Amino acid sequence: MVTFTINGASQTVDVDSDVPLLWVLRDELTLTGTKYGCGVAQCGACTVHVDGRAVRACVMPAASLPGREVVTIEGVSGKVAQAVQTAWRKLDVAQCGYCQSGQIMSAIALLTEIPRPSDADIDAGMSGNVCRCATYVRIRAAIHEAAGTLGG
Amino acid sequence: MVTRRRFLQSTALGGAALLVGVRLDGRQALAADDVFAPNAFVRIAPDNTVTIIGKHLEMGQGSYTGLAVILAEELDADWSQIRVEAAPADVTRYNNTKWGPIQGTGGSTSLAESWEQLRRAGATARAMLVEAAAQEWGVPASEITVDGGVVSHAASNRRATFGELASKAAALTPPAQVTLKDPKDFKLVGKRVPRLDGSAKTDGSAKFTMDFAEPGMLTALIARPPRFGATVKWVDTIGARRVKGVTRVVQVPAGVAVVATSFWAARKGREALRVAWDESRAETRGSDELFAAYRVLAGRPGTSARREGDAAGALRGATRVLEAFYEFPYLAHAPMEPLDAVVRLGADGCDLWAGSQIPTVDQQVVATIVGLPPAKVRVHTMLAGGSFGRRATPNGDVAGEAAAVAKAVGGDKPVKVVWTREDDIQGGRYRPLYVHRLRAGLDAQGNIVGWEHRIVGQSILQGTPFEGMVKNGVDATSVEGASTLPYAIPNITVELHTTRVGVPVLWWRSVGSTHTAFSTETFLDELAQAAGRDPLEVRRTLLAKHPRHRATLDLAAEKAGWGEPLPPGRARGIAVHESFESVVAQVAEVSRRPDGLPKVERVVCAVDCGTAINPDVVRAQMEGGIGFGLAGALWSEITLVRGRVQQRNFDGYRPLRINDMPAVEVHIVPSGAAPTGVGEPGVPPIAPAVANALYQLTGQRVRRLPFARLAPAGTRTA
């Protein structure tokens, strides 16, 4: 049994301590917006926020969850999140869309930390998120767009 | 009277008859009586929503949006009232008209083959709405106008929405003839509209097969052989069955399936499995052996794929002869959503949920395995998290695995088969490994007098139901782009050696052009260099009879500032290639990284795809095609040693990351011609354009992909 906060609500799940957060979210809580892409923290499709920081859910075991606050794409909110999601829609970033939850969660974390990122900041903050459709041109543009609307 | 239900009854196919589409949120749409459904592609509901039924898989290429634009254009609908659903598997209504009696997405055909069909479907629906209004208002249909989803009669100042007219229109008979719009009146075609799937893909609500969940659903992972062609000798299931959550361990043709109540339990169970494999019929050669054998074959005459004039004679008489060998590795598709399929057996048939590129094949494969007529297999096509060709298998591999496991397990709970990323990278169906040999001769003036091209590699079609497409021993997918070389060279031969290797292969975004564009466009550059001519001018001269190629090339060159000075440490390269009836030219601007690899700074891309139905999607596909091609050119390769794949995940099989992505500018050649392919043609030119730029910068020719091989091991930087 582990108890943690998910999208603002306390939740107790009956899982073994080695089950990664990704599968707690997907198989136990049916929060399927967070995606499985590689299982070894190489692609970023499973990016969520844990205590406000971008984390790869596929390598975070349930044992480390008690007392943590986890936010997924389904629950992310606030000015930065709204600016990012609006920019994503405005520029039609998504193609297949499978990696985009992770991209968006990483972008929100980046903009929260660096309100006006340079291209180099974006490369550094986003290079852990793979997109096989290679939507990178628009990811970069959308992050700049969101930074602009936030007045950063 | 053609209500939805009547229409479905009239095209009834056993149990499939009452099926309608799958929505973006993964839910099944419901058939309703009061809906106006004039044909298989559109439903108009009293709530004024217009639902387009998309027969082509949405795997990122924007097919849903494009199909909807075509139909909505002729319907004169408002974009905000448009919804989309995936069509069920039903070849009588949803076949690919370019392929014949098969429902499928591929070859960049979706919009091109739907253009006429959906324009007519939209125009028919519009005519019936107009007729309904004319009858309702007692006015001549010719005086009625339609704009933005509103039907109006100006003289009597009457207006109605589509929704208000739906039930009345449903009672009418579709007209036999409709008039299509003059393209100058297009309001949606050629304009930017937001993607229909853009919002759901931004808030996590878009549902892929991986996300399918139902109470009691089981997840299965399959232990697969370490070498292609090996089979199970014996299996010890004790350890696996002890894992909490594992419910069954069953043998299936693909290997040994561990079935569990969750992914993690299935994974742990598979790790605890002990399997001995019979490798007596397995492929045991490695990439190095294949390359060596292929090089020998490349020295010998092969099966003719094209013969014009006397290339051998021309080369004998040439002032100068150049020769080059090119080597291309196996490549995995590695779509972000690993492969998956869900099958549920039931009393009244069977359900398949999958991002299916060829529903007709998947339906038949599942039907055969579970012992039902195909019509009893309901296919629910989900959004696909990328494919790049991988979900278009001639043997319906993943759907078949799910069916085999569901059958072995029994019961009526859905069974989801998931490939882990390791399964995907190591599980085959790669772009084949190829060796090319090119020879060409120049005369004293530097003109190319003869061209000999030999290609060695596996056939994608051989041994599949599509084998009949192999003509005179030549699989066109092995030579396309080479056999269709557009340059005016008087003597040309293209020959093919088809090899038999136990590594399963498949089409990979842009198929033959993934390798033929590289060898032909870099070799041509080499010849231009040898003749002391400008690479752009050489191409222009040789393309005098190909105005589309020339205009596209000129547009890219002009926008890229070809010939204008660059800052020190930068150089440009150019390439042009036709694939899927579209022509794409790209100019790459590169610098050199500390480890010697090219850093692509900027790409200027020009494309002639006929009518650009969704210009912004065309731009996105060029951007993405460039990134996808660049991944394969710079980093990605599958290598085998003694038959074993050496890469396991994205650490070894390196994808392109954002820090590798150049700035991209896309320019669309204005055209009123019928639309041609967009999903794949952006891929082929990028690798040769970069190689040609690298040569300008370093004098180094790249003859083996990926470029990463240029850097000595251990010196590669991130």
Side-chain angles (χ1 to χ4, degrees):
Chain A
M1 290 284 194
V2 292
T3 301
F4 64 108
T5 303
I6 174 74
N7 296 332
S10 179
Q11 182 85 44
T12 300
V13 286
D14 180 13
V15 291
D16 287 348
S17 59
D18 66 332
V19 178
L21 171 59
L22 171 64
W23 298 107
V24 174
L25 294 172
R26 292 183 55 83
D27 281 351
E28 305 298 325
L29 304 175
T30 329
L31 290 170
T32 55
T34 306
K35 303 302 186 198
Y36 165 66
C38 73
V40 293
Q42 285 285 320
C43 81
C46 66
T47 305
V48 296
H49 295 167
V50 177
D51 296 339
R53 294 184 48 224
V55 164
R56 311 295 182 218
C58 72
V59 291
M60 183 174 191
S64 61
L65 287 175
R68 305 265 190 192
E69 280 197 33
V70 178
V71 175
T72 69
I73 188 76
E74 290 91 349
V76 72
S77 60
K79 262 175 55 183
V80 178
Q82 205 175 8
V84 168
Q85 286 172 310
T86 303
W88 243 251
R89 291 188 186 110
K90 182 176 167 191
L91 301 186
D92 261 339
V93 171
Q95 289 185 27
C96 90
Y98 191 80
C99 74
Q100 297 297 344
S101 297
Q103 302 280 358
I104 287 166
M105 296 305 278
S106 287
I108 294 166
L110 170 69
L111 283 169
T112 303
E113 201 183 325
I114 309 174
R116 192 107 209 175
S118 65
D119 279 351
D121 293 330
I122 293 172
D123 281 357
M126 301 297 294
S127 63
N129 288 80
V130 173
C131 174
R132 286 289 282 162
C133 303
T135 60
Y136 301 123
V137 168
R138 292 178 190 220
I139 288 173
R140 202 178 277 151
I143 291 173
H144 285 308
E145 164 85 18
T149 59
L150 287 164
Chain B
M1 168 133 175
V2 192
T3 62
R4 178 75 187 168
R5 183 150 301 157
R6 279 281 298 274
F7 178 77
L8 289 169
Q9 283 166 350
S10 70
T11 60
L13 269 182
L18 285 173
L19 259 195
V20 290
V22 181
R23 306 182 333 195
L24 295 178
D25 63 4
R27 291 173 198 277
Q28 197 67 50
L30 299 172
D33 263 342
D34 51 357
V35 162
F36 170 44
N39 51 59
F41 300 102
V42 60
R43 292 200 311 269
I44 299 172
D47 68 1
N48 205 32
T49 55
V50 174
T51 302
I52 312 289
I53 293 88
K55 69 173 177 176
H56 287 292
L57 174 68
E58 176 57 81
M59 49 189 165
Q61 83 283 36
S63 59
Y64 282 178
T65 304
L67 297 171
V69 160
I70 300 171
L71 197 145
E73 176 68 67
E74 294 287 349
L75 183 61
D76 277 318
D78 188 77
W79 190 243
S80 65
Q81 71 189 133
I82 302 291
R83 309 286 181 270
V84 67
E85 282 170 19
D90 179 355
V91 77
T92 64
R93 291 184 284 161
Y94 299 118
N95 69 308
N96 184 318
T97 57
K98 286 205 177 198
W99 293 1
I102 192 161
Q103 183 179 346
T105 304
S108 296
T109 57
S110 297
L111 299 199
E113 76 92 18
S114 300
W115 177 240
E116 285 291 326
Q117 187 175 51
L118 293 187
R119 287 183 74 187
R120 287 188 186 285
T124 302
R126 183 189 187 279
M128 292 168 78
L129 290 165
V130 166
E131 183 57 31
Q135 291 182 11
E136 181 86 16
W137 300 333
V139 301
S142 59
E143 291 177 8
I144 288 175
T145 57
V146 186
D147 189 24
V150 177
V151 184
S152 310
H153 184 247
S156 62
N157 196 25
R158 272 179 287 205
R159 296 155 58 86
T161 64
F162 289 176
E164 287 161 354
L165 294 165
S167 63
K168 178 126 188 136
L172 303 175
T173 304
Q177 296 289 327
V178 287
T179 309
L180 301 182
K181 276 187 182 176
D182 185 324
K184 73 174 168 45
D185 298 325
F186 283 161
K187 295 185 182 109
L188 292 169
V189 169
K191 309 292 189 299
R192 188 184 187 282
V193 295
R195 282 180 67 125
L196 293 172
D197 51 352
S199 201
K201 289 176 173 177
T202 301
D203 60 17
S205 65
K207 288 282 183 283
F208 302 85
T209 306
M210 192 68 79
D211 305 328
F212 181 88
E214 259 189 22
M217 185 182 79
L218 298 166
T219 300
L221 267 60
I222 298 175
R224 298 163 194 282
R227 289 189 169 94
F228 297 111
T231 51
V232 176
K233 191 189 285 174
W234 55 257
V235 55
D236 173 358
T237 65
I238 293 170
R241 283 185 289 127
R242 278 196 193 126
V243 173
K244 193 171 99 185
V246 170
T247 58
R248 293 286 297 276
V249 179
V250 293
Q251 207 167 317
V252 290
V256 183
V258 178
V259 187
T261 53
S262 69
F263 173 92
W264 195 249
R267 210 194 109 155
K268 281 173 75 174
R270 189 172 72 167
E271 280 169 10
L273 203 60
R274 290 176 62 221
V275 188
W277 301 95
D278 174 357
E279 299 193 331
S280 57
R281 291 165 73 183
E283 178 58 69
T284 57
R285 283 172 290 180
S287 299
D288 288 348
E289 287 94 330
L290 294 175
F291 277 127
Y294 285 17
R295 285 179 72 100
V296 172
L297 281 173
R300 299 177 193 156
T303 307
S304 177
R306 178 174 176 182
R307 184 179 298 278
E308 282 164 26
D310 175 12
L315 262 65
R316 276 195 300 275
T319 308
R320 196 169 163 197
V321 173
L322 275 72
E323 181 183 65
F325 283 80
Y326 296 88
E327 295 176 324
F328 302 91
Y330 287 115
L331 291 172
H333 304 72
M336 286 310 297
E337 179 192 10
L339 303 174
D340 45 15
V342 183
V343 166
R344 181 177 62 195
L345 304 176
D348 62 338
C350 160
D351 291 279
L352 166 71
W353 289 267
S356 177
Q357 240 182 292
I358 317 183
T360 306
V361 166
D362 287 344
Q363 186 182 43
Q364 281 170 356
V365 165
V366 170
T368 303
I369 291 169
V370 304
L372 285 171
K376 290 281 186 188
V377 177
R378 296 173 289 259
V379 179
H380 313 273
T381 297
M382 307 291 282
L383 292 169
S387 173
F388 317 114
R390 183 59 185 86
R391 297 181 207 274
T393 48
N395 70 342
D397 55 352
V398 187
E401 289 173 4
V405 177
K407 189 183 176 193
V409 169
D412 59 358
K413 298 297 183 204
V415 175
K416 182 195 285 181
V417 163
V418 175
W419 288 45
T420 63
R421 179 59 62 197
E422 289 81 5
D423 295 339
D424 173 55
I425 299 297
Q426 303 205 305
R429 298 211 164 269
Y430 305 127
R431 194 287 304 271
L433 177 152
Y434 290 100
V435 169
H436 289 211
R437 176 200 189 229
L438 270 152
R439 291 177 76 222
L442 297 169
D443 66 14
Q445 289 75 46
N447 301 306
I448 305 170
V449 294
W451 174 281
E452 268 185 11
H453 193 165
R454 270 189 208 137
I455 297 172
V456 184
Q458 287 166 261
S459 163
I460 293 169
L461 297 172
Q462 201 170 61
T464 78
F466 303 114
E467 197 167 41
M469 290 159 68
V470 176
K471 297 283 180 229
N472 301 319
V474 175
D475 178 341
T477 70
S478 301
V479 296
E480 61 189 358
S483 58
T484 54
L485 191 78
Y487 298 118
I489 297 169
N491 303 289
I492 297 189
T493 65
V494 179
E495 295 176 357
L496 174 67
H497 288 278
T498 296
T499 59
R500 287 188 183 265
V501 182
V503 179
V505 295
L506 193 61
W507 22 68
W508 192 93
R509 194 177 184 178
S510 82
V511 198
S513 294
T514 60
H515 50 107
T516 59
F518 187 81
S519 63
T520 58
E521 283 296 278
T522 58
F523 194 61
L524 187 79
D525 226 67
E526 215 164 315
L527 292 165
Q529 184 67 31
R533 295 187 185 171
D534 177 73
L536 171 64
E537 281 313 311
V538 166
R539 286 176 171 81
R540 293 189 82 254
T541 307
L542 295 175
L543 292 170
K545 289 185 180 160
H546 290 271
R548 275 181 92 201
H549 284 73
R550 206 155 141 166
T552 311
L553 195 60
D554 284 346
L555 181 60
E558 180 214 320
K559 298 290 184 185
W562 185 262
E564 289 167 20
L566 280 167
R570 287 217 187 181
R572 290 189 193 94
I574 194 164
V576 61
H577 192 80
E578 177 181 356
S579 58
F580 310 97
E581 298 174 44
S582 290
V583 179
V584 177
Q586 290 167 6
V587 175
E589 208 174 292
V590 310
S591 63
R592 194 162 179 265
R593 297 161 26 126
D595 60 7
L597 302 193
K599 174 165 175 51
V600 187
E601 306 277 0
R602 174 182 181 229
V603 177
V604 176
C605 173
V607 50
D608 181 341
C609 57
T611 298
I613 295 165
N614 292 62
D616 194 56
V617 172
V618 173
R619 281 190 285 275
Q621 287 307 296
M622 293 303 121
E623 293 162 8
I626 286 164
F628 191 81
L630 209 45
L634 290 176
W635 303 118
S636 308
E637 68 175 321
I638 293 291
T639 52
L640 289 95
V641 174
R642 291 187 297 280
R644 283 178 179 258
V645 176
Q646 301 299 293
Q647 294 73 25
R648 288 177 53 80
N649 206 310
F650 284 131
D651 44 357
Y653 189 71
R654 190 168 163 179
L656 195 86
R657 294 179 185 273
I658 195 168
N659 50 306
D660 296 320
M661 187 73 197
V664 177
E665 252 178 61
V666 179
H667 302 278
I668 300 171
V669 177
S671 170
T676 53
V678 165
E680 297 170 90
V683 176
I686 188 61
V690 172
N692 292 338
L694 188 70
Y695 173 79
Q696 293 299 326
L697 200 59
T698 66
Q700 190 173 19
R701 286 287 177 194
V702 178
R703 299 227 173 80
R704 178 160 184 178
L705 292 181
F707 287 77
R709 290 195 163 258
L710 290 174
T715 66
R716 285 172 214 164
T717 52

